[in-house]
Amino acid sequence: MLQLKHIDVSYGSFKALNNISMTVNSGELVVLLGANGAGKTSLFNMISGLVRPTAGECEFEGRRLDGLKPSAVVAAGVVQCAEGRKLFPQMSVAQNLMLGAYVHRRDKQGNRRHLQEMYELFPILEEKKDQPAGSLSGGQQQMVAIGRAMMGRPRLLMLDEPSLGLAPLVVRQMFATISQINRLGTTVLLAEQNAFAALKIAHRAYVMENGQLVMEGDRETMLGNEEVRKAYIGA
Amino acid sequence: MNLFLQQIMNGLTLGSIYGLVALGLTLVYGILHIPNFAHGALYMVGAFMSYFLMVDVGVHYWFAMAGSAAIVAVLAIICERLVFHPLRHSPPIHDKIAAIGILLFLEAVVQMFWGADFRRMSSPFTGILNFDGLIIPEQRLLIIIGALTLVAGLQIFLRKTMTGATIIAMAQNREGAFLVGIDANRVAMMTFGISGALAAIAATLYAPINLVYPAMGHLVIMKAFVIIILGGMGSIPGAIVGGMIIGFAEAFGGFYISTAYKDIIAFGLLVVILSIRPQGLFAKGAH
Ligand SMILES: Nc1ncnc2c1ncn2[C@@H]1O[C@H](COP(=O)(O)OP(=O)(O)OP(=O)(O)O)[C@@H](O)[C@H]1O
Ligand SMILES: [Mg+2]
């Protein structure tokens, strides 16, 4: 479904991504592990069209994504739920969610139905739908961010460190929800540092270090791998 | 008492015009972070376009206003495409220099066609309403009602429509806006178009009780900058309230102190308010 071939990304003279090749198949939940500064966000932003690759190709459903504008990438079916959430803080929860459906704005009925689905997935958001998104707790804001991304009707949903800064209990619920979204049919690419929790819901994982992919494997292989355990699970 | 009410009326008139001009300026600043010094020139071109349409083409005041709004909106969009868009990755100082370039260019072009003379533009609303001694010229009433209608219309557009929401979204979180698929170019052009149309309408409303000449935008743009600094850069309510504050200060200051000093009052107020609230009255997230 998503295929990256020999992708490089540079910021000025600094090479943030080096020869990245990876695949995400339809229906999968793939985890991208990596420490701070490994290049996870850079990879997502490259796919979303926010930064241009300096080399390589990025294909989605057989179609080139690199070179497209961010709005065209969303329209193509790849939506990112960004690190730090990037909500519209003074707008209401409902407005945030509806803006997520911006590329489908002509299909008003479909959007209302999706909004209802999001409220079923996150009942608390329906309660808070008229409050400014910025006034919600961190966990609730993360729900708005995921809900907003889902309103874009992604076939591939990219989640960048959704557990960042959340309490352990909230993190557990968050991963359960992500797993549920995947089971309902959305392919997920999940960047995380919280390796154990992420691997538990994943089909496959990649490990990124200093802008390069250094390891790849399915859940069992990764959970059983000595280096992964040492570096990311701490056991 | 009547003299006092008269000053309120004058304050409302001035405040309405200043508010409309400042609104366009603050929108462009809040969303695109461009301090558009050329905004005063757009205002001036708006007045000349209405003058041209009324005097030379011979259309009615309302059509002249609509035509001028459309022409200046397109002109503002052209400025965005041709000048500010290519500069989007440059340091902010380039925007400022370019804006001053546009200002000088537009003034020179207008001067080439119409000369530097002061001109009068009449409107069909020359009547005077007399409410028990309180004298209200029709044009002033039109200014106030016009400004109110535009501000209300703009609010409805920004708050209630999806297209308007994209503008607000871009101001509140630029990257977030890209990630939901909002097109930056569309929002940039829309913002410039709206700001240009507002400037042209303000100029067309004000011209009949003022004069039309190539340098007419100078003082207006300076005050509009004072207003958006006062109100908080990028804040919509700030632009409206700030416009009213300056309008009232000028009306009352001009009457009770001296008309000779009325233009200084705006800047004096700026100094006073910023020393109490350095972030402006309605400061918000925009940098
Ligand atoms: N806009 C930028 N300009 C210059 N360097 C950047 C930029 N964005 C990221 N970098 C650098 O690129 C490298 C990868 O950053 P990136 O944000 O992609 O990592 P990450 O894996 O997402 O880290 P984190 O877990 O902290 O979010 C880092 O060294 C970072 O300093
Ligand atoms: Mg990151």
Side-chain angles (χ1 to χ4, degrees):
Chain A
M1 179 179 231
L2 178 77
Q3 192 144 35
L4 306 183
K5 294 176 193 157
H6 312 292
I7 291 278
D8 287 357
V9 166
S10 302
Y11 300 110
S13 62
F14 175 73
K15 203 164 186 181
L17 294 181
N18 191 353
N19 196 24
I20 300 281
S21 297
M22 72 186 290
T23 315
V24 178
N25 299 312
S26 183
E28 274 190 316
L29 196 165
V30 175
V31 165
L32 178 64
L33 296 176
N36 286 118
K40 306 179 293 294
T41 301
S42 302
L43 184 69
F44 279 17
N45 285 347
M46 184 281 299
I47 297 171
S48 282
L50 291 172
V51 296
R52 297 251 168 284
T54 43
E57 290 177 18
C58 170
E59 245 177 41
F60 179 71
E61 294 175 337
R63 195 173 145 210
R64 287 285 287 270
L65 286 188
D66 45 305
L68 293 187
K69 285 190 294 189
S71 52
V73 174
V74 175
V78 180
V79 183
Q80 178 183 173
C81 173
E83 186 178 354
R85 302 169 197 129
K86 306 236 175 351
L87 297 177
F88 310 121
Q90 285 103 330
M91 287 195 194
S92 72
V93 168
Q95 271 180 314
N96 269 274
L97 292 173
M98 281 315 275
L99 271 172
Y102 177 69
V103 297
H104 306 289
R105 59 191 173 281
R106 300 228 154 61
D107 179 15
K108 294 215 165 62
Q109 218 174 350
N111 290 337
R112 267 197 299 275
R113 197 181 64 240
H114 278 93
L115 184 66
Q116 214 45 52
E117 284 172 21
M118 285 309 112
Y119 287 150
E120 278 158 31
L121 193 62
F122 303 111
I124 185 77
L125 295 189
E126 183 158 28
E127 247 169 72
K128 308 235 167 193
K129 65 175 192 256
D130 295 321
Q131 293 190 19
S135 71
L136 271 53
S137 75
Q140 292 163 352
Q141 289 193 24
Q142 189 61 52
M143 292 177 199
V144 178
I146 295 177
R148 186 180 72 180
M150 287 302 289
M151 289 294 290
R153 307 181 195 176
R155 291 190 293 286
L156 173 66
L157 173 67
M158 300 193 291
L159 296 156
D160 195 354
E161 301 203 41
S163 72
L164 202 67
L166 303 183
L169 185 69
V170 183
V171 170
R172 203 148 7 113
Q173 287 167 352
M174 192 62 61
F175 280 113
T177 309
I178 293 167
S179 178
Q180 189 188 349
I181 287 173
N182 175 245
R183 281 196 309 274
L184 289 173
T186 309
T187 308
V188 175
L189 178 58
L190 169 65
E192 263 300 336
Q193 301 200 40
N194 201 331
F196 189 60
L199 284 174
K200 275 206 302 199
I201 62 167
H203 299 112
R204 276 190 312 124
Y206 289 89
V207 177
M208 188 180 253
E209 271 172 22
N210 298 322
Q212 284 177 302
L213 291 179
V214 294
M215 212 184 298
E216 186 212 333
D218 60 20
R219 173 180 43 211
E220 281 69 34
T221 326
M222 291 313 241
L223 279 170
N225 186 294
E226 237 357 81
E227 283 170 60
V228 173
R229 294 187 77 89
K230 261 207 216 97
Y232 298 103
I233 300 175
Chain B
M1 189 59 203
N2 260 344
L3 278 178
F4 181 78
L5 287 176
Q6 205 71 59
Q7 295 324 309
I8 289 195
M9 199 58 209
N10 291 344
L12 274 174
T13 318
L14 279 174
S16 298
I17 296 298
Y18 293 161
L20 285 182
V21 177
L23 204 52
L25 194 63
T26 216
L27 272 177
V28 167
Y29 186 82
I31 291 146
L32 306 161
H33 309 312
I34 297 170
N36 189 9
F37 295 112
H39 194 64
L42 294 176
Y43 170 86
M44 177 274 296
V45 172
F48 270 93
M49 285 302 118
S50 290
Y51 177 85
F52 170 73
L53 289 172
M54 279 183 77
V55 175
D56 297 314
V57 182
V59 304
H60 188 267
Y61 181 70
W62 290 122
F63 290 107
M65 184 187 284
S68 162
I71 293 169
V72 177
V74 171
L75 179 63
I77 293 171
I78 293 174
C79 289
E80 195 277 330
R81 281 292 93 183
L82 251 42
V83 180
F84 296 113
H85 182 71
L87 289 176
R88 67 196 178 286
H89 299 305
S90 316
I93 186 77
H94 294 195
D95 284 336
K96 297 183 183 121
I97 296 168
I100 292 170
I102 296 174
L103 163 82
L104 297 174
F105 173 77
L106 290 177
E107 276 190 27
V109 170
V110 167
Q111 195 150 339
M112 188 171 86
F113 283 106
W114 282 281
D117 304 342
F118 293 77
R119 287 155 196 275
R120 281 208 157 279
M121 188 179 114
S122 53
S123 100
F125 303 97
T126 48
I128 286 174
L129 306 176
N130 190 334
F131 295 101
D132 195 20
L134 173 65
I135 309 270
I136 304 176
E138 279 177 4
Q139 185 68 28
R140 285 185 181 261
L141 201 60
L142 180 69
I143 289 175
I144 297 167
I145 295 171
L148 272 177
T149 315
L150 279 177
V151 168
L154 188 68
Q155 282 297 329
I156 291 171
F157 171 68
L158 291 176
R159 310 273 161 214
K160 298 285 177 228
T161 68
M162 188 70 130
T163 312
T166 62
I167 295 184
I168 306 267
M170 196 64 102
Q172 291 191 4
N173 195 322
R174 220 178 151 68
E175 256 188 78
F178 292 148
L179 290 175
V180 299
I182 293 171
D183 187 343
N185 289 333
R186 237 185 88 140
V187 171
M189 289 194 283
M190 218 156 43
T191 309
F192 265 91
I194 292 172
S195 91
L198 286 174
I201 294 174
T204 312
L205 284 170
Y206 197 37
I209 56 171
N210 213 302
L211 293 166
V212 178
Y213 54 103
M216 66 187 279
H218 294 179
L219 212 50
V220 173
I221 188 65
M222 285 225 277
K223 285 177 192 161
F225 266 105
V226 168
I227 288 164
I228 71 169
I229 294 168
L230 264 185
M233 305 285 277
S235 160
I236 293 174
I240 297 161
V241 174
M244 285 298 162
I245 291 178
I246 298 295
F248 274 85
E250 268 182 34
F252 280 90
F255 185 73
Y256 290 104
I257 303 169
S258 153
T259 19
Y261 292 123
K262 79 173 168 46
D263 289 328
I264 295 181
I265 292 168
F267 302 98
L269 257 181
L270 178 69
V271 173
V272 173
I273 295 191
L274 286 192
S275 50
I276 303 166
R277 262 184 82 82
Q279 71 276 40
L281 296 172
F282 293 79
K284 50 161 245 178
H287 351 269

